């Protein structure tokens, strides 16, 4: 298969050999350690000591023999062999069978194939199961070199390999069980489990092989592997050295690594960095101690993909003891990131619902409460126990609740539409309070409503302020003009006061109400003030003292232009009349000043004539003496006339200044 590497699973150095081969021995056989303690034995040994299987392991062999009344090891005729690797320091003790023909009869009837060879590697025993396995009759095998039974590619070197074991004592196969392919007589191949024993005899070292047809098991394993290949969940298997030996396509999708990048490498490459350093030790500790903290359980863990992104997975870990004594592990992982995110959202939503001051209600399809939060209890005074099962309207609405609003809510819910309303409710003590509520229907399969969720905020303070503002606005609207224009300056609406002022006329466009300079100020600064002259009504031009402002959205874009303006028509008329009176007074003063100036001119000329007359009288002597007196009087009258003209002129100037200041004061008072 594409994602599975076949072959023997490498055992850890400290793993015990596979002892199952001694189960085939007809004679009593036992494995002991360097201290003489029993490690493993076959059923014939238990029968030899007349003991139960579970009673012997861990006991010293010498004590067990003595307790059974049997001779000591040295006098029992038993053979002490070392078929295992030297590092294990284990010995195989084979006690003599009662009759050799009994041994052969037992092996002949064994369901597994049994083949024995002599020191020359010739076959000396080939039972009926071996005949069935290879397809050779025993007459064609007995006395022949065992290489006849070995796959063709190994036949040339097989004798050398067997003899090497005899001379060096290095047991690579002896004492273990491994899977091998054999070639049958008809050329087909069969997968078998091979267990090889080594026995030293008087004539030399002989070998006996026990072979079990595992082709059906391997076929089942192949089917399992194919199933795991197609599994939707990621499957990862590691060998005794913690290297990945199976990695299915779902695992490729989960981690983002291809099988070629992972197979054969240590599994810690798939483990988050904070755990990778100690991962081998954690796995090996489980092998040594057998204490399962994760094995056999399911837990959610976080993994890091090849691209650095994180995923949550549900991890199930299986521990698999192998026939060769090694232990492998298989992990099944399912991506639960979406589920973890959903749970986290639910946790956060629950946190919000539990901690918010707002009231949160959930009802069933019949609009009966199934959940209320603590905010509901704080707002209404009703506990969850008192509220569950009741309808919110029946529980909270009272005499001041607007029936039209309640009806709109019911009609929206009946149509499956969300609700956004403000309504007056009552707490359990009968105290009214305003709420802003949102109700959303929750639809299930087939579009049918399953639940309603409502969030309600106490807006008592805001609502009362709004009502107060509304009353104030209504009061203002009765005594002043209010108008709105769109962002282009086109009229939108006006209040009744302004409509009455216009006597049914239309509201002018904004540009007709403001000068270009004032309109630019309004746009740039957001506000301005200007006296607005409206179209004449019955010969009178209505005048408003307009206060203009701009309404914008959050982005600062103009949405509307607003105007508030009291009617200052009478005030404007008073100012106009005052200006006209001032102009008249000023004009009259100016005309009087001209008269005074003429008098002053005449007085100056009279004075000059009087001076000339005095000169001429002096020249005439006594004859002009009387005329001199007259000239002097005339000069005195001229001087007094000029002084009177100056005083009149000063008074006129003072009067004009006072009238001007009076007009300005009247304007300021009126405005």
């Amino acid at each position: 298969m594409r994602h599975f590497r076949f072959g023997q699973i490498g055992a850890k150095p400290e793993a015990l050999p596979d002892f199952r081969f001694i189960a085939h021995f007809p004679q009593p056989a036992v494995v002991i350690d360097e201290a003489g303690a029993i490690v493993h034995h076959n059923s014939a040994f238990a029968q030899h000591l007349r003991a139960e299987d579970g009673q012997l392991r861990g006991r010293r062999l010498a004590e067990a023999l003595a307790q059974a009344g049997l001779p000591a090891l040295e006098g029992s005729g038993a053979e002490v062999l070392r078929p295992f690797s030297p590092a294990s320091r284990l010995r195989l003790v084979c006690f003599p069978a009662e009759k050799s023909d009994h041994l052969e009869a037992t092996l002949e009837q064994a369901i597994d194939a049994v083949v024995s060879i002599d020191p020359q590697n010739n076959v000396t025993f080939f039972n009926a199961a071996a005949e069935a396995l290879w397809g050779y009759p025993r007459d064609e095998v007995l006395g022949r070199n065992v290489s006849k039974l070995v796959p063709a590619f190994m036949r040339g070197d097989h004798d050398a390999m067997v003899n090497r074991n005899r001379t060096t004592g290095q047991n690579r196969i002896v004492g273990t069980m491994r899977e091998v392919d054999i070639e049958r007589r008809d050329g087909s191949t069969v997968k078998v489990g091979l267990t090889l024993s080594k026995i030293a005899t008087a004539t030399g070292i002989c070998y006996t092989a026990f072979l079990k047809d595992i082709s059906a098991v391997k076929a089942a394993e192949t089917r399992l592997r194919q199933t795991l290949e197609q599994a939707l969940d990621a499957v990862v298997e590691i060998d005794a050295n913690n290297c990945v030996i199976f990695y299915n396509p779902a695992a490729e999708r989960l981690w983002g690594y291809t099988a070629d990048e992972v197979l054969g490498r240590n599994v810690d490459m798939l483990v988050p960095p904070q755990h990778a350093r100690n991962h081998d030790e954690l796995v090996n500790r489980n092998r040594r101690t057998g204490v399962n903290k994760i094995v056999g359980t399911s837990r959610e863990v976080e993994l890091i993909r090849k691209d650095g992104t994180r995923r949550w997975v549900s991890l199930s870990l299986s521990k698999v003891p192998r026939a060769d004594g090694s232990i492998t592990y298989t992990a099944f992982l399912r991506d639960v990131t979406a589920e973890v995110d959903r749970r986290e959202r639910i946790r956060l939503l629950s946190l919000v619902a539990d901690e918010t001051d707002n009231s949160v209600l959930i009802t069933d399809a019949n609009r009966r409460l199934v959940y209320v939060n603590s905010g509901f209890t704080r707002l209404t005074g009703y506990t969850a126990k008192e509220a569950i099962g009741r309808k919110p309207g029946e529980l909270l609405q009272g005499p001041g609740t607007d029936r039209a609003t309640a009806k709109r809510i019911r009609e929206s819910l009946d149509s499956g539409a969300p609700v956004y309303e403000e309504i007056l409710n009552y707490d359990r003590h009968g105290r009214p309070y305003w709420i802003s509520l949102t109700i959303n229907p929750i639809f299930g399969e087939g579009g049918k409503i399953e639940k309603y969720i409502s969030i309600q905020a106490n807006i008592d303070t805001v609502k009362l302020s709004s009502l107060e503002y509304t009353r104030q606005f209504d009061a203002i609207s009765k005594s002043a003009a209010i108008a709105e224009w769109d962002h282009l300056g086109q009229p939108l609406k006006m209040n009744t006061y302004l409509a009455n002022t216009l006597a049914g006329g239309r509201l002018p466009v904004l540009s007709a109400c403001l000068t270009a300079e004032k309109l630019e100020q309004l746009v740039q600064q957001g506000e301005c003030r200007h006296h607005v002259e409206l179209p004449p009504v019955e010969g009178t031009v209505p005048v408003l003292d307009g206060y203009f402002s701009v309404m914008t959205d959050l982005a600062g874009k103009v949405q509307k232009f607003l105007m508030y303006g009291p009617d200052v028509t009478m005030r404007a008329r008073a100012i106009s009349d005052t200006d006209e009176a001032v102009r008249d007074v000023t004009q009259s003063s100016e005309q009087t000043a001209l008269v005074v100036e003429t008098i002053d001119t005449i007085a100056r000329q009279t004075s000059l004539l009087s001076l000339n007359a005095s000169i001429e009288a002096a020249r005439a002597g006594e004859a002009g003496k009387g005329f001199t007196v007259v000239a002097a009087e005339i000069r005195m009258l001229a001087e007094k006339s000029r002084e009177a003209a100056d005083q009149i002129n000063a008074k006129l100037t003072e009067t004009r200044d006072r009238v001007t200041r009076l007009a300005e004061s009247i304007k300021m008072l009126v405005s």
Side-chain angles (χ1 to χ4, degrees):
M1 283 185 288
R2 184 166 68 90
H3 300 307
F4 184 71
R5 297 185 174 178
F6 288 94
Q8 181 190 12
I9 299 173
K12 290 167 60 78
E14 69 271 25
L16 294 176
D18 186 4
F19 303 121
R20 291 184 297 176
F21 70 95
I22 70 173
H24 299 287
F25 288 9
Q27 72 269 36
V30 61
V31 178
I32 59 175
D33 61 18
E34 59 183 341
I38 297 172
V39 177
H40 192 77
H41 62 84
N42 61 3
S43 58
F45 177 76
Q47 294 173 3
H48 185 57
L49 269 67
R50 299 180 182 85
E52 299 291 336
D53 286 349
Q55 298 176 348
L56 298 174
R57 290 184 185 177
R59 297 181 59 186
R60 293 186 179 277
L61 177 60
E63 295 175 357
L65 292 172
Q67 186 175 353
L70 298 174
L73 181 60
E74 294 74 16
S76 64
E79 291 183 273
V80 180
L81 308 174
R82 294 183 179 273
F84 311 108
S85 64
S88 69
R89 300 183 181 181
L90 300 177
R91 293 170 291 168
L92 174 64
V93 180
C94 296
F95 293 85
E98 294 181 2
K99 294 182 180 179
S100 60
D101 57 346
H102 174 73
L103 171 61
E104 289 193 8
T106 302
L107 293 178
E108 180 63 32
Q109 297 177 30
I111 60 174
D112 293 338
V114 182
V115 180
S116 296
I117 62 173
D118 61 16
Q120 289 73 42
N121 298 335
N122 294 322
V123 179
T124 59
F125 184 80
F126 194 75
N127 69 349
E131 289 182 305
L133 181 62
W134 267 279
Y136 289 107
R138 69 188 63 193
D139 293 341
E140 295 183 21
V141 176
L142 291 174
R144 307 271 183 95
N145 191 286
V146 73
S147 61
K148 180 182 181 70
L149 305 176
V150 175
F153 73 93
M154 295 180 59
R155 288 172 186 166
D157 299 325
H158 189 259
D159 275 0
M161 290 189 291
V162 176
N163 293 333
R164 188 182 304 122
N165 178 268
R166 284 193 178 98
T167 56
T168 63
Q170 295 180 354
N171 297 320
R172 295 183 179 180
I173 302 177
V174 174
T176 67
M177 196 282 284
R178 63 171 55 190
E179 297 173 0
V180 298
D181 291 319
I182 65 166
E183 293 181 3
R184 303 183 75 249
R185 185 180 187 182
D186 60 6
S188 61
T189 60
V190 177
K191 181 75 71 174
V192 297
L194 168 65
T195 303
L196 190 64
S197 63
K198 177 180 178 181
I199 302 175
T201 67
T203 59
I205 296 177
C206 301
Y207 296 90
T208 298
F210 301 88
L211 303 98
K212 184 178 185 65
D213 185 348
I214 60 172
S215 56
V217 174
K218 297 307 293 183
E221 183 177 298
T222 299
R223 290 193 297 272
L224 175 61
R225 294 291 173 182
Q226 291 174 344
T227 301
L228 294 179
E229 282 283 336
Q230 301 174 46
L232 296 177
D233 292 344
V235 183
V236 179
E237 184 177 0
I238 61 172
D239 63 14
N241 297 314
N242 300 334
C243 293
V244 180
I245 57 174
F246 183 79
Y247 186 80
N248 71 343
E252 289 183 309
R253 293 191 295 271
L254 180 61
W255 269 281
Y257 292 104
T258 65
D260 292 337
E261 292 177 289
V262 176
L263 291 174
R265 296 185 62 183
N266 193 291
V267 72
D268 61 10
M269 73 173 290
L270 304 178
V271 177
Q274 65 269 27
H275 302 304
R277 180 181 302 175
N278 300 321
H279 189 259
D280 272 359
E281 173 56 27
L282 294 173
V283 176
N284 294 334
R285 184 185 304 159
N286 178 267
R287 287 191 176 98
R288 291 192 305 269
T289 65
V291 177
N292 296 323
K293 293 183 178 180
I294 302 179
V295 174
T297 67
S298 177
R299 61 175 58 188
E300 290 179 356
V301 297
E302 191 177 33
L303 62 79
I304 302 177
R305 303 180 75 248
K306 181 180 179 179
D307 61 8
T309 57
R310 295 175 180 269
R311 294 281 181 85
W312 281 97
V313 295
S314 175
L315 167 67
S316 298
L317 191 63
S318 299
K319 182 177 180 180
V320 185
R322 295 290 180 174
D324 61 1
S326 65
I327 295 175
T328 65
Y329 295 88
T330 302
F332 300 86
L333 304 100
R334 179 169 54 88
D335 190 340
V336 294
T337 304
E339 183 178 343
V340 170
D341 290 344
R342 183 181 63 82
R343 287 204 309 267
E344 178 62 13
R345 288 196 300 271
I346 292 174
R347 186 187 71 82
L348 293 176
L349 289 174
S350 297
L351 184 63
V352 171
D354 291 338
E355 298 300 327
T356 182
D357 288 332
N358 290 337
S359 173
V360 180
L361 302 79
I362 301 177
T363 72
D364 58 19
N366 296 320
R367 302 172 196 169
R368 294 192 177 276
L369 289 168
V370 296
Y371 169 83
V372 294
N373 72 337
S374 55
F376 173 86
T377 300
R378 289 193 295 270
L379 180 62
T380 68
Y382 290 104
T383 65
K385 185 177 181 180
E386 293 171 323
I388 298 301
R390 302 183 65 180
K391 290 188 174 182
E394 297 174 355
L395 184 67
L396 302 174
Q397 293 176 9
T401 303
D402 184 59
R403 298 306 165 195
T405 303
K407 182 180 179 182
R408 285 198 306 272
I409 294 175
R410 289 194 301 272
E411 290 174 347
S412 295
L413 296 180
D414 289 340
S415 64
V419 175
Y420 308 94
E421 285 286 358
E422 294 179 358
I423 194 169
L424 184 69
N425 278 349
Y426 292 79
D427 64 17
R428 68 173 302 161
H429 303 294
R431 292 188 295 260
Y433 62 92
W434 281 94
I435 61 166
S436 171
L437 64 83
T438 300
I439 306 176
N440 290 95
I442 306 301
F443 296 92
E445 296 182 1
K448 186 177 181 181
I449 295 177
E450 292 185 349
K451 297 281 191 299
Y452 293 94
I453 296 179
S454 176
I455 299 177
Q456 303 177 356
N458 187 337
I459 60 168
D460 220 24
T461 303
V462 176
K463 187 66 175 180
L464 292 176
S465 298
S466 176
L467 291 174
E468 182 179 356
Y469 169 79
T470 300
R471 294 190 187 99
Q472 292 173 348
F473 182 81
D474 289 342
I476 293 173
S477 183
K478 291 178 180 179
S479 60
I482 298 174
E484 293 183 14
W485 293 266
D486 64 15
H487 65 288
L488 298 176
Q490 295 300 314
L492 292 176
K493 61 181 180 179
M494 56 183 166
N495 67 345
T496 304
Y497 182 92
L498 181 54
N500 292 335
T501 301
L502 292 174
R506 298 185 60 185
L507 178 66
V509 296
L510 184 62
S511 58
C513 299
L514 293 172
T515 64
E517 182 182 356
K518 286 293 183 178
L519 186 58
E520 183 179 358
Q521 178 185 345
L522 175 61
V523 173
Q524 295 296 327
Q525 300 180 12
E527 61 182 10
C528 74
R529 182 180 179 184
H530 182 65
H531 276 199
V532 180
E533 292 187 357
L534 299 175
V537 177
E538 297 180 357
T540 301
V541 177
V543 180
L544 303 177
D545 187 7
Y547 295 83
F548 293 83
S549 62
V550 178
M551 180 178 293
T552 62
D553 59 15
L554 295 177
K557 185 178 179 180
V558 175
Q559 298 295 306
K560 292 180 181 180
F561 295 98
L562 306 178
M563 182 206 72
Y564 157 77
D567 188 342
V568 293
T569 304
M570 299 304 295
R571 190 185 309 170
R573 184 179 300 173
I575 293 174
S576 177
D577 291 346
T578 301
D579 287 340
E580 185 177 353
V582 169
R583 285 194 300 271
D584 291 343
V585 171
T586 301
Q587 185 178 0
S588 177
S589 298
E590 289 174 351
Q591 292 173 352
T592 303
L594 291 174
V595 174
V596 171
E597 185 178 354
T598 301
I599 294 172
D600 183 65
T601 301
I602 294 172
R604 290 179 183 277
Q605 291 177 350
T606 302
S607 179
L608 182 60
L609 289 174
S610 173
L611 178 61
N612 290 333
S614 297
I615 293 173
E616 291 297 328
R619 286 180 181 177
E622 281 299 327
K625 189 174 183 180
F627 190 74
T628 300
V629 175
V630 173
E633 289 295 332
I634 292 173
R635 187 166 55 249
M636 289 178 60
L637 289 173
E639 288 295 333
K640 289 181 179 181
S641 296
R642 189 170 60 190
E643 289 176 2
D646 288 341
Q647 291 176 0
I648 292 170
N649 199 38
K651 290 296 183 180
L652 286 174
T653 301
E654 182 180 353
T655 300
R656 187 166 53 246
D657 290 342
R658 287 181 177 180
V659 170
T660 301
R661 288 197 300 273
L662 176 61
E664 294 296 329
S665 297
I666 291 173
K667 286 182 181 179
M668 293 179 62
L669 179 62
V670 172
S671 61

